[in-house]
Amino acid sequence: MPKELNTDEMIKKLNILTALAKEKETSKNIIDRLGVVVIYSSMVEFDLVQAARLIEQIILKKQFLDGTVGFQPHEDSWFFDQQVRSRKIISEIKKIFPFKAVKPQDENVAKKVTELTKDFLSVAGKYLTSRNLIFHHLTNPKKNLKDIEMEIEKTVTNFHKVTEARIKFFELAQPYRFSEKEIQYFYGNLK
């Protein structure tokens, strides 16, 4: 069985693919630009998986403090092996809004994390809709190549909005990720 990439290796791979896609964003070749959409789609899916994992960890930290751990968190590969749809991840995260602070002094942070998460999920949803329209309309007799190219441009713009929203969300929520000790407790020895 091939070695599974750890998160750092996965991010390195995705950064290389993203850089290659960025070079082709304005290509005159529609196939190049469709490839950009495919790579950016993978990035959005990866970002949503990372958001789901981070939120699992935040919930588990709260449950751990309360002494009532209710579930086992998932590694990245679980989301891909189970083929969890991106829209399913979005809808599951939305079910737990608003996030609540553990300590009263953290209430403003919880509100801000909720706000940034909602923004991230909203633009990710718009990206997914844009992407789906491209693939749906490729063979639509009412759409010409110029229409498809305009949708590709819109989709690429939406991807950059997802990236901006993800950065804001993760910068604020990152400190709530599991520590090495918590990773060991919940996941055991990682490969």
Side-chain angles (χ1 to χ4, degrees):
M1 180 154 97
K3 175 190 173 283
E4 186 174 314
L5 300 178
N6 65 35
T7 302
D8 290 339
E9 293 167 328
M10 185 65 181
I11 289 170
K12 182 179 177 182
K13 176 181 86 171
L14 293 175
N15 284 339
I16 290 168
L17 289 171
T18 302
L20 293 170
K22 181 93 174 128
E23 291 174 11
K24 298 293 184 181
E25 277 184 9
T26 57
S27 171
K28 299 293 181 211
N29 184 321
I30 192 168
I31 300 302
D32 287 344
R33 293 176 69 210
L34 285 168
V36 169
V37 171
V38 170
I39 290 170
Y40 286 173
S41 294
S42 292
M43 285 299 302
V44 170
E45 289 177 5
F46 180 76
D47 289 344
L48 287 167
V49 166
Q50 294 308 303
R53 289 193 63 212
L54 175 55
I55 291 167
E56 278 184 341
Q57 291 176 12
I58 292 168
I59 291 168
L60 281 168
K61 279 187 171 208
K62 168 78 168 88
Q63 289 180 351
F64 194 69
L65 286 172
D66 295 342
T68 58
V69 175
F71 64 94
Q72 178 69 27
H74 303 293
E75 295 182 36
D76 287 3
S77 59
W78 181 89
F79 290 90
F80 295 102
D81 292 345
Q82 302 302 313
Q83 297 183 4
V84 179
R85 293 178 352 267
S86 297
R87 296 235 190 239
K88 176 75 171 165
I89 292 172
I90 290 171
S91 68
E92 290 299 314
I93 292 172
K94 285 181 176 180
K95 287 179 184 177
I96 57 176
F97 286 147
F99 298 127
K100 293 177 179 43
V102 175
K103 302 173 193 159
Q105 64 265 31
D106 292 336
E107 193 58 44
N108 286 337
V109 173
K111 285 179 184 175
K112 187 67 176 170
V113 170
T114 299
E115 174 189 318
L116 291 175
T117 307
K118 284 181 178 181
D119 185 46
F120 168 65
L121 297 178
S122 173
V123 294
K126 287 176 185 170
Y127 175 85
L128 295 172
T129 298
S130 242
R131 174 204 64 186
N132 291 351
L133 281 174
I134 291 169
F135 298 130
H136 179 72
H137 289 310
L138 280 175
T139 56
N140 182 341
K142 294 181 181 179
K143 299 292 180 178
N144 61 36
L145 286 179
K146 189 69 177 162
D147 296 331
I148 302 300
E149 288 175 345
M150 287 175 25
E151 197 60 45
I152 290 170
E153 258 182 65
K154 180 179 167 187
T155 303
V156 168
T157 298
N158 283 338
F159 171 76
H160 292 297
K161 290 178 182 177
V162 171
T163 300
E164 290 171 22
R166 175 196 34 92
I167 289 169
K168 290 176 185 174
F169 162 63
F170 276 94
E171 281 178 352
L172 185 62
Q174 190 72 15
Y176 301 97
R177 276 203 180 277
F178 280 173
S179 67
E180 287 300 318
K181 190 174 183 178
E182 291 163 328
I183 288 172
Q184 180 70 31
Y185 177 82
F186 284 104
Y187 295 108
N189 288 326
L190 295 178
K191 300 167 189 93

